[in-house]
Amino acid sequence: MAFGRRSSIQALFFPVGVAAILLLAGHATAVNTGETVVFWGRNKDEGSLREACDSGLYTSVIISFYSVFGHGRYSLDLSGHDVSAVGADIKHCQSKYIPVLLSIGGQGGDYSLPTNQSAADVADNLWDAFLGGGRAGVPRPFGDAVVDGIDLFIDQGGAEHYDELARQLFSHYKFEMLLTATTRCLYPDHRLDRALATGLFTHIHVRVFGDDASCTTRHRASWERWAAAYPGSLVYLGVVASPEQDAKAYLPRKVLFSDVLSHIVEKPNYGGLMIWDRYYDKKTGYSAGKVL
């Protein structure tokens, strides 16, 4: 059984210029921040997926995480959210022209791809459980809702066979699905290097936070390195929404705009901001401009 799809992903995912007004040095300055992507699913107190889409803050949402795969077992970790409600919320978001993707991997869980066959098996499971496929015996956690793409957030294990996973996913959907990657800030990200070399990824979210200490003080340079390496992909600047998450990497909005965005927004493959994550963004109002 196959689930229906839109005739083109472009019906959902299109460039949206979001102008953010910020007071800098006493003057009102308009900066086009591009798209705003947010990760949802990491805290049960962040509210529903529907609420995130209804906030008006985001142009796409990434559900996280599909965190167990590669050894014949597959499962989600949505931090206590009621998974049975997510399918209807996905459709609601899509009705508002907000694409919803599913991120695989994450910062915990049990995943790896020991062989090319395991990569093919994971691609088949994603196709049948979350995308446009459907096979007897394969549960669909989100019902007949179809996510708009798959994001690779590979933060543990080796790099082997993720390139094959990308090819297998692409063979199912070709241009009807978004393939995105969320990378560490230090270039290259050795866990995703081979996958990105396939040229199949339309969007790359560069996390200028986390374990790569040299990147947290060189946000702009890190983004520019990635953008130069992948001119055919839209490259996003991934930031934390609160100093509680990463005090060293946190960019106050004034600094974000004056020191980073003002220099990169005109680059041809600048995509926008990736906010980590919905819980902290809701708590601080970071993407809404409530904190400077």
Side-chain angles (χ1 to χ4, degrees), residues 66-71 73-74 104-105 110-113 122 162:
Y66 173 88
S67 60
V68 176
F69 61 82
H71 300 273
R73 297 179 294 114
Y74 311 99
I104 75 168
D110 180 11
Y111 61 87
S112 66
L113 295 177
V122 171
Y162 287 102

Side-chain angles (χ1 to χ4, degrees), residues 36-258:
T36 302
V37 179
V38 70
F39 272 79
W40 175 92
R42 303 317 310 136
N43 192 304
K44 64 182 178 59
D45 295 325
E46 67 195 329
S48 68
L49 177 61
R50 176 183 293 255
E51 179 187 330
C53 291
D54 285 345
S55 70
L57 298 172
Y58 314 117
T59 52
S60 62
V61 180
I62 301 178
I63 297 173
S64 54
F65 286 109
Y66 173 88
S67 60
V68 176
F69 61 82
H71 300 273
R73 297 179 294 114
Y74 311 99
S75 70
L76 290 166
D77 174 12
L78 299 188
S79 301
H81 285 284
D82 179 5
V83 175
S84 67
V86 175
D89 287 0
I90 290 172
K91 293 180 180 181
H92 175 76
C93 295
Q94 291 168 338
S95 75
K96 298 171 73 73
Y97 298 97
I98 299 173
V100 180
L101 289 80
L102 175 65
S103 189
I104 75 168
Q107 296 156 325
D110 180 11
Y111 61 87
S112 66
L113 295 177
T115 64
N116 270 350
Q117 184 58 54
S118 66
D121 292 343
V122 171
D124 287 345
N125 182 260
L126 289 168
W127 167 250
D128 289 323
F130 301 100
L131 294 164
R135 183 160 48 94
V138 178
R140 289 188 66 91
F142 305 149
D144 63 354
V146 177
V147 298
D148 296 290
I150 301 297
D151 174 73
L152 270 60
F153 188 125
I154 307 305
D155 219 32
Q156 65 185 45
E160 293 82 4
H161 311 297
Y162 287 102
D163 52 344
E164 181 63 18
L165 175 62
R167 293 188 190 97
Q168 291 286 341
L169 286 169
F170 190 76
S171 72
H172 278 304
Y173 251 177
K174 298 188 172 27
F175 296 104
E176 294 298 313
M177 183 190 76
L178 289 166
L179 265 180
T180 72
T182 298
T183 70
R184 288 172 174 260
C185 129
L186 191 63
Y187 176 86
D189 184 331
H190 294 294
R191 289 188 177 93
L192 284 169
D193 201 24
R194 295 182 191 177
L196 291 170
T198 64
L200 300 176
F201 291 79
T202 55
H203 302 67
I204 299 172
H205 316 113
V206 180
R207 292 182 283 154
V208 290
F209 56 88
D211 298 335
D212 303 324
S214 63
C215 298
T216 59
T217 56
R218 303 177 65 249
H219 304 81
R220 174 184 166 192
S222 298
W223 181 91
E224 288 177 336
R225 182 77 185 273
W226 280 96
Y230 296 99
S233 300
L234 289 175
V235 181
Y236 292 67
L237 183 76
V239 297
V240 291
S242 168
E244 288 183 57
Q245 299 169 277
D246 189 333
K248 291 182 179 179
Y250 176 70
L251 281 168
R253 283 179 63 88
K254 281 186 178 180
V255 176
L256 170 68
F257 281 75
S258 62

Side-chain angles (χ1 to χ4, degrees), residues 257-271:
F257 281 75
S258 62
D259 291 2
V260 185
L261 290 187
S262 62
H263 299 280
I264 68 174
V265 292
E266 299 303 325
K267 302 291 186 181
N269 61 332
Y270 170 75

